[in-house]
């Protein structure tokens, strides 16, 4: 570990040196703006962090970030290119206080110290263009290659940490991720992109986008991805001669095909996507036979949405959406001897809508009122090894109201609440109150109180088989949060922010064993209290260098005393990018420090990762990106869930990617 | 290890803020917005020709600081630009471009109605008040949305290049 630390500190020292030395080394100042074309101007990078960023997720409408009733973070398409992000996972883990755990089966998101193995991200709401993308059987959210969108189609990702139920209802428990897609004009023609990565990985994408003269816009894109994976993965827990000495051979492959389309004309947008993933599992989870080549999972997601957004009368804006979603899952699990392959499947389908009206009739007030409805046409799950299927049909609705009241030019008070009803016996009302004080031109303070809930999903509520029983008393999870956020500009080019928060949670669901009948059952756990602090700094230099640094401290423990597993006390992140020649070429370097985490039976050590990417355009039509990930080959592991015999799962070492893009 | 990381963090910030901020050509948010305002004028057709000066007006609070001063005297359609700061609805009659926030857009919607004045704002809420051009502030860029139908209703139109670059188009 000492080596890793030293290595890491050397990297940090390098960056600090870059801070001091860089202005001398890269003294090329940008050219005078007055001679630049409109296209050059809209592509000009800012040498100062903007005071306000336009955001759409915190309140379900576009507003200045300084008036948004929450902490929030934005990752742009440019960040994705500069730092060589390969999937949404890379985007998410770059956010302060957010981390991921990969058990080579599913990637779980951790927010502010909460990363509960086996929740399949049901405590985070993942959206695409404001449309819920958690499926309706497990409420899971896929962020790796199972995610509906190719990362190259992302215009920006907005992340709202903390409870979001006051506006989004169920599952917006620890945070809301809204992925906003590019549109036709961002391509303005065709683009072909191909990439090769370590572990025998290939990806190809073809996209076409256009904005027509009448203002209509079209985007079509398709992606194929194939990863062979590491040839061998060693798990000492299975190191016996009959189990291939603990070596899983070529069992971490991952393939997916996805397609996305979007058409907009005036106030109407039609959008749809499909993704199908096929992933091998090397870990022999759920007590399977080790190193069997047939062990794998497949999942498919599809959606279509139709939205209408327009001013319908003086002071009235309507925002309406209709949606349809489909989900299917298939797992082939191998047991024996005698060798038997057990197929487990589940399927979901839903149709729904969201009708929202915004009103600005009252001076200083912006009111929104909305109704969301979802008919879960199908929520089916196989009963393991029985040949039977548990079929469900349910519905849910939510009613929400929010008022943004500008009391004075400097003081804004936002109050909102939402009531949710789920037809299989759950309902919840959740408020959010935010007082925002723009104390000075350079300083903003926000005080936010909010609650959130998560109802048991169909699996948690209804799954039963020979070894699992239903808990009819299973209650919904609830959280209450108080947060203070401060943002201050030290000077025009340096922004610092701090956030202090306290969470109270109760009834977190967990699969346990009833000692009397030895059956597995979901139980509500005792209360949890968490508190933490997030510090961030951003500095930009006039020569084009940009740097962001964050440190997060948090502590989450059961009120009975035990600290949560998979909950790092310390996290730190640093992102630096600098232009080469002109702004068309950039080097992006990021490093992430992750503190130690408790596992089921022990602890995984802290680690530091570094990634380095060079990207740019040779010509207008030919772009390239080359990146090295886990730069100093850090050996690190993520905690494993209850389905694993392993206490933790070792992650990939140093690897690289080369990506070429052709535009015509 | 943690202490060293915090130290590095503070050092990084300190070295950052200690660096002299004296580079001549910087592109701050409002310098860029000012440059965009001026550039827009070349891609917009007004129904009547300009008379003496091309008036760019900032109504209410001026977030540009001194960034607009450089536009004074530059020429649009062979006519010199004049930056003005009207305070009453009567003073906006001569404006070609009018920069305002959502509250003022709402307040001025009646006096501005029908006049061939291009309204511009960087308040996201102004989009809902049918302001014709609205800046979208991104973490590292400034984009803009265009409400073409609102502009056309008073005889203003945009050239294709500007429409092609707009973030949203209504």
């Amino acid at each position: 570990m000492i080596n890793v630390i030293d290595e890491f500190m050397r990297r940090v020292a390098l960056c600090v040196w870059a801070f001091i030395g860089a202005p001398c080394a890269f003294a090329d100042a940008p050219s005078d703006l007055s001679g630049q074309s409109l296209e050059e101007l809209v592509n000009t990078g800012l040498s100062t962090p903007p005071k306000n960023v336009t955001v759409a997720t915190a309140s379900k409408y576009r507003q200045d970030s300084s008036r948004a009733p929450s902490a929030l973070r934005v990752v742009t398409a440019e960040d994705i290119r500069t730092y060589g992000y390969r999937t949404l996972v890379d985007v998410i883990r770059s956010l302060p206080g957010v981390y991921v755990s990969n058990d080579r089966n599913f990637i779980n998101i951790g927010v502010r110290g909460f990363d509960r193995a086996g929740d399949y991200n049901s405590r985070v709401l993942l959206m695409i263009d404001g449309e819920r993308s958690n499926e309706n059987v497990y409420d899971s959210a896929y962020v790796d290659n199972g995610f509906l969108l190719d990362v190259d189609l992302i215009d920006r990702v907005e992340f709202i940490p903390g409870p979001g139920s006051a506006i989004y209802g169920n599952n917006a428990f620890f945070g809301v991720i809204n992925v906003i897609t590019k549109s036709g004009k961002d391509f303005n023609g065709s683009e072909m992109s191909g990439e090769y990565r370590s572990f025998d990985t290939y990806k190809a994408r073809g996209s076409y986008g256009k904005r027509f003269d009448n203002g209509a816009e079209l985007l079509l894109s398709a992606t194929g991805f194939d990863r062979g994976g590491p040839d061998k993965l060693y798990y000492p827990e299975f190191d016996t001669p009959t189990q291939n000495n603990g070596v899983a051979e070529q069992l971490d492959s991952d393939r997916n095909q996805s397609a996305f389309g979007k058409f907009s004309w005036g106030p109407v947008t039609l959008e749809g996507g499909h993704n199908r993933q096929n992933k091998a599992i090397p870990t022999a989870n759920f007590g399977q036979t080790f190193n069997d080549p047939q062990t794998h999972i497949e999942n498919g997601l599809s959606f279509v949405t139709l939205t209408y957004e327009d001013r319908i009368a003086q002071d009235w804006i309507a925002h309406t959406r209709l949606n349809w979603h489909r989900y299917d899952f298939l797992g082939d699990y191998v047991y024996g001897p005698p060798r038997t392959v057990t197929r487990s499947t589940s399927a979901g389908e839903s149709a729904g809508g969201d009708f929202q009206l915004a009103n600005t009739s009252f001076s200083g007030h912006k009111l929104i009122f909305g109704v969301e409805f979802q008919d879960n046409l199908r929520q089916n799950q196989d009963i393991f090894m029985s040949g039977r299927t548990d079929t469900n049909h349910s519905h849910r609705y939510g009613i929400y109201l929010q008022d943004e009241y500008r009391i004075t030019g400097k003081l804004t008070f936002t109050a909102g609440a939402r009531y949710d009803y789920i037809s299989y016996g759950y309902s919840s009302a959740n408020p959010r109150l935010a007082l925002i004080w723009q104390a000075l031109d350079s300083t903003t303070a926000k005080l936010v109180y909010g609650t959130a809930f998560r109802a048991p999903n169909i699996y948690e509520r209804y799954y039963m088989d020979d070894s699992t029983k239903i808990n009819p008393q299973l209650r919904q999870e609830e959280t209450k949060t108080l947060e203070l956020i401060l943002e201050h500009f030290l000077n025009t080019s340096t922004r610092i922010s701090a956030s202090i928060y306290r969470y109270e949670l109760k009834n977190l669901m967990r699969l346990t064993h009833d000692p009397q009948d030895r059956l597995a059952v979901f139980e509500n756990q005792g209360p949890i209290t968490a508190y933490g602090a997030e510090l961030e700094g951003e500095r930009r230099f006039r020569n084009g260098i940009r740097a962001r640094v964050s440190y997060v401290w948090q502590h989450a423990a059961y009120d009975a005393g035990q600290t949560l597993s998979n909950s790092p006390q310390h996290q730190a992140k640093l992102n630096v990018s600098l232009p080469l020649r002109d702004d068309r070429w950039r080097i992006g370097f990021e490093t992430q420090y992750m503190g130690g985490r408790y596992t089921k039976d022990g602890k995984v050590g802290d680690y530091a990762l570094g990634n380095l990417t060079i990207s740019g355009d040779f010509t207008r039509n030919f772009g390239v990106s080359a990146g090295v990930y886990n730069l100093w080959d850090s050996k690190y592991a993520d905690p494993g869930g209850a389905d694993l015999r392993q206490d933790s799962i070792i992650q990939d070492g140093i690897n690289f990617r080369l990506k070429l893009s052709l535009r015509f | 290890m943690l202490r060293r990381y915090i130290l590095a963090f503070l050092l990084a910030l300190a070295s950052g803020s200690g660096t002299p901020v004296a580079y001549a050509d910087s592109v701050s948010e409002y310098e860029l917005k000012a440059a965009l305002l001026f550039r827009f004028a070349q891609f917009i057709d007004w129904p009547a020709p300009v008379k003496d000066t091309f008036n760019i007006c900032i109504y209410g609070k001026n977030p540009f600081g001194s960034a607009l001063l450089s536009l004074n005297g530059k020429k649009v359609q062979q006519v010199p630009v004049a930056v003005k700061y009207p305070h009453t609805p009567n003073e906006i009659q001569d404006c070609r471009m009018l920069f305002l926030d959502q509250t003022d857009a709402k307040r001025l919607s009646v006096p501005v109605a029908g006049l061939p004045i291009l309204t511009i704002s960087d308040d996201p809420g102004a989009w809902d008040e049918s302001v014709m051009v609205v800046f979208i502030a991104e973490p590292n860029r400034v984009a803009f949305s265009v409400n073409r139908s609102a502009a056309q209703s008073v005889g203003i139109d945009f050239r294709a290049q500007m429409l092609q670059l707009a973030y949203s188009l209504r």
Side-chain angles (χ1 to χ4, degrees):
Chain A
M1 198 59 230
I2 293 299
N3 282 345
V4 174
I5 296 169
D6 277 358
E7 191 58 43
F8 179 68
M9 293 317 295
R10 209 172 301 152
R11 307 291 147 172
V12 172
L14 214 113
C15 294
V16 173
W17 169 84
F19 263 96
I20 306 163
C24 332
F26 304 88
D28 293 329
S31 55
D32 183 21
L33 288 179
S34 63
Q36 295 199 358
S37 72
L38 190 59
E39 187 173 5
E40 284 167 334
L41 288 175
V42 293
N43 287 314
T44 297
L46 294 173
S47 67
T48 56
K51 289 267 162 66
N52 267 307
V53 171
T54 307
V55 292
T57 310
S59 299
K60 275 198 171 184
Y61 54 80
R62 278 188 199 158
Q63 64 185 160
D64 280 336
S65 52
S66 67
R67 280 216 176 79
S70 65
L72 54 92
R73 272 138 200 146
V74 179
V75 179
T76 62
E78 189 180 2
D79 295 321
I80 291 171
R81 191 173 61 241
T82 302
Y83 297 106
Y85 297 149
R86 298 155 294 181
T87 62
L88 189 59
V89 176
D90 288 339
V91 175
I92 288 169
R93 73 186 303 167
S94 76
L95 300 164
V98 185
Y99 54 105
V100 294
S101 302
N102 180 2
D103 65 2
R104 297 190 186 270
N105 170 26
F106 192 86
I107 293 186
N108 239 74
I109 308 167
V111 182
R112 291 184 164 173
F114 294 94
D115 188 338
R116 314 313 298 149
D119 79 0
Y120 301 104
N121 296 332
S122 59
R123 294 181 179 106
V124 173
L125 179 66
L126 176 65
M127 302 191 294
I128 295 173
D129 291 325
E131 173 69 25
R132 165 184 283 260
S133 87
N134 297 57
E135 45 78 19
N136 68 350
V137 180
Y138 309 96
D139 289 341
S140 67
Y142 291 87
V143 288
D144 60 350
N145 292 301
F147 181 52
L148 274 155
L149 277 182
D150 186 318
V151 75
D152 290 341
L153 301 176
I154 298 176
D155 179 57
R156 53 153 67 193
V157 177
E158 293 186 13
F159 176 65
I160 311 288
S165 290
I167 200 134
Y168 292 108
N170 198 11
N171 305 109
F173 197 71
F174 289 134
V176 176
I177 300 168
N178 190 9
V179 178
I180 294 160
T181 58
K182 287 182 179 170
S183 52
K185 73 120 178 33
D186 294 313
F187 289 90
N188 204 17
S190 302
E191 183 174 281
M192 303 286 287
S193 173
E195 62 185 78
Y196 174 73
R197 302 183 202 164
S198 305
F199 307 118
D200 198 23
T201 306
Y202 301 85
K203 183 178 151 185
R205 173 180 55 83
S207 307
Y208 170 79
K210 180 101 180 131
R211 174 178 281 165
F212 301 98
D213 290 340
N214 61 4
E217 232 167 320
L218 176 70
L219 171 62
L220 295 170
S221 186
T223 299
F225 172 85
D226 193 328
R227 168 181 149 113
D231 288 341
K232 292 176 179 180
L233 288 165
Y234 173 66
Y235 296 106
E237 295 81 358
F238 296 92
D239 192 350
T240 66
T242 54
Q243 298 185 100
N244 201 29
N245 301 310
V247 177
E249 289 187 47
Q250 302 196 321
L251 272 178
D252 197 34
S253 68
D254 190 0
R255 291 196 305 276
N256 86 295
Q257 299 91 37
S258 68
F260 177 74
K262 181 168 154 183
F263 175 76
S264 60
W265 194 29
V268 179
T269 302
L270 178 68
E271 177 174 324
H274 173 75
N275 183 43
R276 179 138 213 103
Q277 182 188 26
N278 182 319
K279 171 93 184 63
I281 301 171
T283 55
N285 57 345
F286 299 112
Q288 293 182 80
T289 304
F290 186 76
N291 193 37
D292 190 289
Q294 207 174 328
T295 299
H296 79 286
I297 52 169
E298 294 175 32
N299 47 70
L301 285 168
S302 315
F303 82 103
V304 179
T305 62
L306 180 68
T307 58
Y308 172 87
E309 186 181 7
D310 206 0
R311 185 164 130 134
I312 50 168
Q314 174 79 28
D315 299 331
W316 290 93
I317 309 290
H319 195 162
T320 301
R321 74 172 61 234
L322 296 173
N323 59 49
W324 174 84
H325 290 258
R326 206 184 157 283
Y327 167 70
D328 66 87
F329 171 85
L330 177 163
D332 276 345
Y333 300 102
V334 181
Y335 295 93
R339 183 176 180 275
T340 50
V341 179
T342 303
R343 176 161 288 191
S344 171
T345 62
S346 45
E349 187 178 356
S350 70
D354 186 3
F355 306 92
Q356 184 193 310
L357 279 174
N359 177 277
T360 52
S361 303
F362 304 101
S363 176
H365 290 269
K366 175 145 186 170
L367 279 156
I368 57 163
F369 170 73
V371 179
E372 195 187 337
F373 180 81
Q374 181 172 317
D375 189 358
N376 291 306
L377 306 164
R378 198 155 45 123
Q379 294 170 298
N380 297 353
Q381 49 186 345
D382 261 15
I383 307 304
F384 202 56
M385 290 188 169
S386 75
R388 286 180 295 116
T389 302
D390 169 46
T391 58
N392 292 283
H393 179 182
S394 70
H395 65 270
R396 61 174 186 83
Y397 67 81
I399 302 168
Y400 55 94
L401 186 69
Q402 180 180 284
D403 181 25
E404 177 186 323
Y405 175 33
R406 295 189 189 183
I407 302 169
T408 69
K410 291 183 167 181
L411 206 59
T412 305
F413 180 63
T414 299
R418 173 167 164 144
Y419 171 78
D420 279 274
Y421 170 83
I422 295 167
S423 66
Y424 51 91
Y426 296 91
S427 64
S428 183
N430 293 281
R432 178 173 64 184
L433 304 169
L435 187 65
I436 298 157
W437 183 37
Q438 285 161 306
L440 299 166
D441 212 25
S442 57
T443 311
T444 304
K446 299 180 184 180
L447 185 66
V448 186
Y449 168 80
T451 71
F453 85 110
R454 182 177 82 88
N457 55 43
I458 287 292
Y459 166 70
E460 289 160 330
R461 182 66 187 81
Y462 289 116
Y463 186 82
M464 65 183 278
D465 60 20
D466 292 346
S467 59
T468 314
K469 67 174 179 181
I470 289 174
N471 176 358
Q473 268 87 48
L474 194 61
R475 278 161 297 163
Q476 63 202 14
E477 301 177 345
E478 289 170 2
T479 176
K480 265 191 272 194
T481 303
L482 187 65
E483 182 169 2
L484 176 67
I485 304 146
L486 298 167
E487 186 178 73
H488 176 68
F489 283 78
L490 289 175
N491 52 45
T492 53
S493 52
T494 313
R495 181 182 66 88
I496 54 171
S497 67
S499 169
I500 317 164
Y501 59 82
R502 184 174 190 278
Y503 282 55
E504 277 175 36
L505 293 102
K506 61 176 192 187
N507 299 339
L508 240 58
M509 288 173 257
R510 191 172 71 170
L511 194 63
T512 55
H513 279 89
D514 187 334
Q516 286 180 343
D517 51 21
R518 305 182 141 260
L519 291 176
V521 63
F522 277 100
E523 296 275 10
N524 294 107
Q525 295 176 270
I528 294 171
T529 305
Y531 39 93
E534 297 176 345
L535 304 171
E536 271 187 272
E538 181 180 5
R539 163 95 178 153
R540 295 189 192 180
F541 298 90
R542 294 179 178 204
N543 49 35
I545 295 180
R546 298 197 276 269
R548 244 182 13 241
V549 62
S550 71
Y551 167 73
V552 174
W553 178 91
Q554 67 81 28
H555 180 73
Y558 293 101
D559 290 1
Q562 192 196 2
T563 302
L564 257 63
S565 61
N566 202 356
S567 180
Q569 196 158 36
H570 308 284
Q571 281 183 80
K573 289 169 190 178
L574 174 72
N575 284 55
V576 183
S577 79
L578 43 107
L580 291 173
R581 290 192 345 185
D582 52 42
D583 214 26
R584 287 191 311 171
W585 285 84
R586 231 166 219 284
I587 296 186
F589 172 74
E590 72 175 343
T591 166
Q592 299 170 346
Y593 169 77
M594 177 81 157
R597 292 172 282 174
Y598 289 107
T599 58
K600 288 177 290 188
D601 305 316
K603 203 172 178 181
V604 288
D606 59 351
Y607 66 84
L609 290 181
N611 304 324
L612 185 71
T613 300
I614 299 177
S615 60
D617 293 331
F618 281 112
T619 69
R620 225 182 148 78
N621 302 327
F622 182 41
V624 64
S625 165
V628 184
Y629 304 84
N630 194 355
L631 206 53
W632 46 90
D633 202 18
S634 196
K635 300 275 185 287
Y636 69 106
D638 286 336
D643 58 317
L644 293 169
R645 224 162 99 185
Q646 297 91 327
D647 191 42
S648 62
I649 299 293
I650 296 281
Q651 303 297 307
D652 291 340
I654 185 168
N655 60 94
F656 70 89
R657 174 177 86 158
L658 180 68
K659 176 182 171 189
L660 304 174
S661 302
L662 267 176
R663 292 176 278 269
F664 45 89
Chain B
M1 172 157 190
L2 183 69
R3 199 168 294 164
R4 292 163 79 183
Y5 202 98
I6 294 170
L7 200 75
F9 171 88
L10 292 174
L11 228 120
L13 271 186
S15 65
S17 36
T19 312
V21 239
Y23 288 87
D25 297 293
S26 79
V27 193
S28 71
E29 184 184 349
Y30 279 95
E31 285 165 335
L32 188 54
K33 284 177 180 171
L36 280 163
L37 275 189
F38 176 69
R39 191 58 66 194
F40 288 156
Q42 296 171 326
F43 295 97
I44 296 171
D45 295 312
W46 277 266
V50 195
K51 289 185 209 124
D52 312 328
T53 52
F54 185 93
N55 296 337
I56 298 178
C57 302
I58 312 298
Y59 194 87
K61 194 182 162 206
N62 172 21
F64 288 88
S66 58
L68 283 174
L69 297 180
S70 63
L71 300 186
N72 268 316
K74 283 189 175 174
K75 286 195 170 171
V76 172
Q77 297 160 10
Q78 284 94 45
V79 170
V81 168
V83 179
K84 301 202 165 172
Y85 304 91
H87 291 289
T88 63
N90 290 334
E91 296 175 75
I92 59 178
Q93 310 279 335
D94 299 332
C95 298
R96 285 265 142 176
M97 290 180 163
L98 178 63
F99 185 91
L100 70 188
D101 69 14
Q102 182 187 3
T103 318
D104 287 328
K106 197 170 149 70
R107 208 174 289 150
L108 293 181
S109 61
V110 174
V112 167
L115 294 175
I117 299 172
L118 181 92
T119 50
I120 305 183
S121 182
D122 65 353
D123 184 342
W127 185 243
D128 298 336
E129 301 297 335
S130 297
V131 167
M132 299 164 199
V133 176
V134 178
F135 287 120
I136 311 274
E138 303 204 40
N140 192 40
R141 309 238 177 268
V142 175
F144 61 89
S145 291
V146 170
N147 190 333
R148 193 183 189 186
S149 47
Q152 281 175 335
S153 71
V154 294
I156 296 175
D157 208 353
F158 303 88
R159 306 236 173 112
Q161 297 97 312
M162 186 163 167
L163 296 176
Q164 201 51 249
L165 290 167
Y167 183 87
S168 303
L169 190 57
R170 185 181 277 177

